[in-house]
Amino acid sequence: MDADDVAEDLYRLPPAQFTAARGARAAEARRDGDAATARRIAGFRKPTLAAWVSNLLARQREEAGQLLELAQALREAHRTLDPEQFRTLSHQQHAVITGLARQAGGLARQAGQPVSVSVLHEVEQILHAVLADPEVAERWATGMLTKVPAVSTDFPGTASLAQVSARSAQANKPAAAAPASAPTSARKAPDAALEKRRARLKEAMKAATEAAAEASRREDDVRRAEEELEQATARRSAADERVALLTAQLGEAEEERRTAAATAEEASVRVRDAARERKAAQRKAERTSLAVERLSAGDTGHRA
């Protein structure tokens, strides 16, 4: 049994199935006498729901490649401190992340595990981290991410300001010193000014990254609110239809009740009338019976 193959299978499963499947595969390895593989399998961490959804996207090679290319370009813009390229890529960033997060939600539905808007927001956080951090990008590309990483705006892996300044100074250094070189203090002044300018540019690019991330979050908040409004409106519409149906049914029931009440009243009158007629008939029958008895008694005396 190969632990990497097992991991590939396990991280494709919805999180609800992960723990049981991991235990079963570890137990299988132990039965095969492979204790080392069993321990490694048992150590695989269960992914959060958002991490699992992002892993589904990572396995879509074309979409994953698109995000990784954008990440590399953004880091290159930071390395070279190219503000024009940075602005262009920053505009692309939000559209790409939003589109990929929605696609990830679709993949989750296809896998039988629809997710909430809040989970999709966490997926977007993961994608932001993929753009910013090459180590996160590398883990995500394996399709076995286990949790939402912290989002950085510093773009780790890019050259430091000192390195950029050193490369720039080296590139601008003359091939051979002139016989009458400028004083040391005169050479340092332009270098210091250049470094300050680059420092301000880097800070501005970092601020732009943070602002873009904040704008993205705010736009996501608006989108989620709009989705919640749409869902609430749909529920209200369904409730209105239900109320209308129940109101119509109540009206029909009220009409039926009134009709039944009128019928019952008419039947009650007929019962009273029938009772009076029955009582009158009973009295008449009693009088007739008494008359018969009297006549019968008189007839018997006359004969005697």
Side-chain angles (χ1 to χ4, degrees):
M1 183 183 298
D2 185 84
D4 291 334
D5 292 340
V6 172
E8 178 73 19
D9 294 338
L10 290 177
Y11 283 98
R12 288 180 182 273
L13 296 173
Q17 303 175 21
F18 183 90
T19 301
R22 179 186 60 192
R25 299 303 295 271
E28 182 181 351
R30 283 193 293 270
R31 286 195 299 271
D32 292 343
D34 192 346
T37 298
R39 284 194 299 272
R40 187 178 172 197
I41 292 173
F44 291 153
R45 297 185 62 182
K46 175 183 174 181
T48 65
L49 186 55
W52 173 75
V53 174
S54 78
N55 290 337
L56 294 179
L57 186 65
R59 295 189 182 97
Q60 305 298 308
R61 295 307 175 191
E62 182 176 349
E63 290 77 3
Q66 179 186 12
L67 186 66
L68 294 174
E69 287 176 6
L70 177 58
Q72 183 176 358
L74 278 167
R75 288 193 291 272
E76 180 64 24
H78 271 260
R79 271 193 294 269
T80 61
L81 297 178
D82 184 342
E84 185 61 34
Q85 183 188 19
F86 179 77
R87 281 193 296 270
T88 300
L89 294 172
S90 293
H91 286 309
Q92 295 177 9
Q93 176 178 337
H94 175 67
V96 169
I97 286 180
T98 301
L100 290 179
R102 289 179 178 173
Q103 183 173 348
L107 293 172
R109 284 194 299 274
Q110 292 174 16
Q113 180 69 61
V115 295
S116 66
V117 174
S118 62
V119 171
L120 291 183
H121 180 55
E122 291 183 334
V123 172
E124 291 178 355
Q125 286 183 257
I126 292 173
L127 299 182
H128 277 293
V130 169
L131 288 180
D133 193 331
E135 292 183 2
V136 174
E138 184 177 354
R139 292 200 306 272
W140 175 75
T142 66
M144 289 182 275
L145 198 66
T146 60
K147 64 180 181 179
V148 180
V151 178
S152 171
T153 57
D154 287 332
F155 281 79
T158 60
S160 66
L161 178 61
Q163 290 172 318
V164 172
S165 299
R167 285 201 301 266
S168 176
Q170 182 65 31
N172 294 324
K173 184 178 180 180
S181 59
T184 303
S185 59
R187 289 198 305 271
K188 287 183 178 179
D191 290 345
L194 177 61
E195 186 167 342
K196 287 181 180 179
R197 179 179 176 278
R198 288 183 177 275
R200 289 195 300 271
L201 178 57
K202 185 170 184 179
E203 286 300 318
M205 291 174 68
K206 179 180 177 181
T209 301
E210 294 171 346
E214 179 64 18
S216 176
R217 285 193 293 272
R218 297 308 178 194
E219 187 167 340
D220 292 340
D221 291 341
V222 171
R223 176 170 52 81
R224 286 195 298 275
E226 289 174 345
E227 291 175 354
E228 291 172 359
L229 174 61
E230 184 179 350
Q231 294 169 1
T233 301
R235 290 196 300 271
R236 183 181 65 183
S237 178
D240 288 344
E241 292 177 2
R242 180 65 175 163
V243 167
L245 176 61
L246 291 175
T247 300
Q249 292 175 345
L250 178 61
E252 294 174 358
E254 287 287 350
E255 182 62 29
E256 291 178 2
R257 186 186 66 80
R258 287 192 293 269
T259 301
T263 302
E265 182 61 27
E266 293 174 358
S268 178
V269 171
R270 288 196 296 273
V271 167
R272 289 196 300 270
D273 291 344
R276 284 196 299 269
E277 292 174 357
R278 181 186 63 184
K279 191 173 183 178
Q282 287 174 343
R283 286 197 297 269
K284 183 177 181 181
E286 289 173 356
R287 288 196 300 270
T288 303
S289 178
L290 182 59
V292 169
E293 289 178 0
R294 289 174 180 173
L295 290 173
S296 296
D299 185 61
T300 301
H302 178 71
R303 277 194 239 173

